[in-house]
Amino acid sequence: MAQWTSAVGPAQLARQLNAQQQPRPAGTRKPPAYRALADGIRLLVLEGRVPVAARLPAERELALALSVSRTTVAAAYEALRGEGFLESRRGAGSWTAVPAGNPLPARGLEPLPPESLGSMIDLGCAALPAPEPWLTRSVQGALEELPPYAHTHGDYPAGLPALRQMLAERYTARGIPTMPEQIMVTTGAMGAIDAICHLFAGRGERIAVESPSYANILQLMREAGARLVPVAMAEGLTGWDLPLWRQVLRDSAPRLAYVVADFHNPTGALADEEQRRALVDAARSAGTVLVVDETMSELWLDEGIDVPRPVCAFDPAGATVLTVGSASKAFWAGMRIGWVRAAPDVIRSLVAARAYADLGTPVLEQLAVNWLMATGGWEQAVDLRRAQARENRDALVTAVRRELPEWEFDVPVGGLTLWVRTGGISGSRLAEMGERVGVRVPSGPRFGVDGAFEGYVRLPFTVSGPVAEEAAARLAAAARLVEKGASTGGESPRTFVA
């Protein structure tokens, strides 16, 4: 059986390689053609532009697309195999890989231990403090509404009827008619996606994911035994590469596809309305269930943002699109309330399967979220959250640009994260050195499949003012330590040279 899960066409690969070309400084020696080609492909893999486990074109096809000799392509492929970036088998072709020794961080997104809070600046978790006074008020309101529920068994596998009704009404107000029977309340968005994966994607099933994607969801899917099929994001913050998505859905026929259309985590990209419509059509044609993560959808930060209609607007019955929402990003990470919107029969299946998992979501927290949404407190709390995130984003952008001017990123108009290219420095080594100097940052490979994105880190909007300035200064110190390690004969921080 072939080891590749997607394929890169010769024309597509040629375009990506040609886009890398930069003027060569005067006086530098031009490398052999095969070496330049091998370096270019390796760079595309490490940056995630070509997924790991993607089948590369045959030598003759790529030679024709690049207008080079077949010998050049054969030599480049041989060099990549020798470096561990390509694997081949007769009859199955050649597919991209990452060397076994490539450093992969073992941590970076779990909460920082309380004893470290005084000495470490935590840029690991994209989560902000609670928007008070709304947390306290919501809990007080929930306590007032709790007594009638205390006289019941307290198990509501589909969620409290009042909250299901409230969520259905909110979708309807957004232009997507929804019944309470189309809603299941879960323990956070992670609980929702875990339930979906167990229902739709058994061990060994393929799941298409954006590349990069949210690290914790990728790990959840790996632990469920899924085979992840990465699909590279479009350039900049422009959303999805639709031709590539159509190709992957057609060729790989994944059972599920997981996407974040609104202020994508980690890149901050916002998919436009036409992309949303086209992806739903492609998923429907391929028989793929499209799981859409809306946890960032209310976190637009700049004025005048034209937020497109939800993806489920193009599949109102919920047969193709399963929408996941949560209070954890828009309100507070400690409020572990999520939900799924889908067709009634899908919801019934999810609820039935839940009997063997957690039985239901805590009643008090459901009442608190329902109180917020019923009183208008939700909108006021989210307004406060946007203001916090906007202030933090602007402070972090200013500080990073001053301390690390060689780092590259696009400033997103929403969400909670910057996706930063680190000027060729290994993100894994940077994360390691960062902890030594007191700043915790997750490296790019956490957000890719099998080690891609080594040249990136994710910076969340969780600090502001002097703390943002100090965080950037510590990141710059960590970068200098990585560079110093290379200059003194240690492991090279530059994992690619294009």
Side-chain angles (χ1 to χ4, degrees):
M1 184 176 180
Q3 300 299 305
W4 50 273
T5 57
S6 62
V8 182
Q12 175 192 351
L13 183 56
R15 286 195 302 271
Q16 291 177 293
L17 288 166
N18 290 331
Q20 291 180 341
Q21 300 302 314
Q22 299 290 332
R24 184 169 298 279
T28 59
R29 181 181 298 177
K30 184 177 180 180
Y34 85 89
R35 185 68 263 171
L37 176 56
D39 289 345
I41 293 174
R42 187 176 72 245
L43 174 58
L44 289 172
V45 172
L46 286 168
E47 290 188 331
R49 298 299 300 151
V50 169
V52 175
R55 187 179 186 274
L56 293 186
E59 294 170 2
R60 189 184 302 276
E61 294 175 341
L62 185 57
L64 183 62
L66 290 172
S67 299
V68 300
S69 71
R70 182 177 176 181
T71 302
T72 296
V73 177
Y77 280 13
E78 183 60 33
L80 290 168
R81 277 190 288 270
E83 296 163 3
F85 285 92
L86 197 68
E87 296 180 12
S88 304
R89 193 170 70 234
R90 186 177 298 276
S94 299
W95 55 92
T96 56
V98 170
N102 206 56
L104 289 175
R107 50 185 176 155
L109 297 186
E110 72 276 14
L112 189 67
E115 63 270 17
S116 301
L117 290 176
S119 60
M120 185 76 69
I121 298 176
D122 187 9
L123 297 181
C125 295
L128 293 167
E132 289 287 29
W134 298 107
L135 174 61
T136 299
R137 291 181 183 177
S138 68
V139 175
Q140 291 171 340
L143 287 171
E144 293 176 1
E145 297 176 5
L146 182 62
Y149 295 94
H151 296 290
T152 73
H153 50 63
D155 287 334
Y156 296 88
L160 290 185
L163 182 54
R164 296 176 75 196
Q165 178 69 42
M166 176 63 65
L167 292 168
E169 290 176 357
R170 289 176 69 87
Y171 277 107
T172 300
R174 295 168 68 188
I176 306 103
T178 303
M179 304 178 293
E181 292 79 8
Q182 291 179 263
I183 301 292
M184 181 177 83
V185 181
T186 63
T187 307
M190 293 287 289
I193 294 171
D194 182 59
I196 291 168
C197 287
H198 279 89
L199 180 63
F200 284 94
R203 185 165 293 275
E205 291 277 5
R206 291 178 175 177
I207 301 179
V209 295
E210 295 152 326
S211 183
S213 187
Y214 179 37
N216 287 340
I217 294 296
L218 295 181
Q219 189 59 32
L220 181 156
M221 292 173 175
R222 291 187 188 102
E223 293 182 358
R227 297 176 61 193
L228 301 183
V229 182
V231 186
M233 297 288 289
E235 294 289 346
L237 301 181
T238 55
W240 302 318
D241 183 336
L242 262 300
L244 184 56
W245 268 103
R246 282 191 287 265
Q247 177 186 335
V248 169
L249 294 180
R250 181 183 65 248
D251 295 347
S252 297
R255 185 70 182 92
L256 289 178
Y258 168 76
V259 297
V260 184
D262 300 287
F263 313 120
H264 175 261
N265 186 354
T267 69
L270 178 64
D272 63 35
E273 192 156 300
E274 185 51 41
Q275 289 176 322
R276 296 168 190 235
R277 184 195 306 275
L279 187 56
V280 172
D281 291 344
R284 185 182 294 116
S285 298
T288 297
V289 176
L290 189 61
V291 182
V292 179
D293 186 333
E294 280 194 340
T295 54
M296 298 282 190
S297 63
E298 296 187 69
L299 292 178
W300 63 87
L301 304 183
D302 294 339
E303 297 296 331
I305 300 302
D306 184 16
V307 179
R309 286 181 291 171
V311 177
C312 60
F314 306 103
D315 179 50
T320 297
V321 176
L322 277 58
T323 302
V324 173
S326 172
S328 299
K329 293 298 185 185
F331 185 72
W332 183 49
M335 188 68 78
R336 304 305 304 162
I337 299 295
W339 53 87
V340 180
R341 181 200 178 276
D345 62 318
V346 173
I347 295 297
R348 287 193 294 269
S349 297
L350 288 169
V351 171
R354 193 175 193 180
Y356 307 100
D358 63 1
L359 293 177
T361 302
V363 170
L364 189 64
E365 292 184 28
Q366 292 187 72
L367 288 173
V369 172
N370 190 64
W371 182 92
L372 284 165
M373 292 180 173
T375 62
W378 177 269
E379 283 71 24
Q380 295 185 63
V382 172
D383 281 344
L384 179 57
R385 170 65 78 238
R386 292 191 195 106
Q388 290 174 319
R390 184 185 309 114
E391 177 184 348
N392 290 1
R393 179 199 63 181
D394 295 347
L396 188 63
V397 165
T398 299
V400 171
R401 282 178 170 166
R402 180 180 63 250
E403 297 287 343
L404 293 151
E406 69 277 15
W407 287 16
E408 301 173 7
F409 54 86
D410 294 312
V411 180
V413 297
L416 291 172
T417 57
L418 283 180
W419 183 238
V420 181
R421 185 175 179 176
T422 57
I425 293 176
S426 162
S428 296
R429 294 284 290 159
L430 189 68
E432 177 187 358
M433 292 298 180
E435 296 215 9
R436 297 187 187 182
V437 299
V439 60
R440 185 167 176 264
V441 57
S443 63
R446 292 296 304 272
F447 304 89
V449 175
D450 295 332
F453 303 109
E454 183 59 65
Y456 289 81
V457 293
R458 189 194 73 169
L459 304 180
F461 311 147
T462 53
V463 293
S464 185
V467 180
E469 295 175 3
E470 179 62 22
R474 293 185 186 185
L475 285 172
R480 289 192 294 271
L481 286 174
V482 176
E483 293 279 15
K484 182 179 179 181
S487 65
T488 56
E491 182 181 351
S492 173
R494 297 193 177 276
T495 59
F496 48 78
V497 180

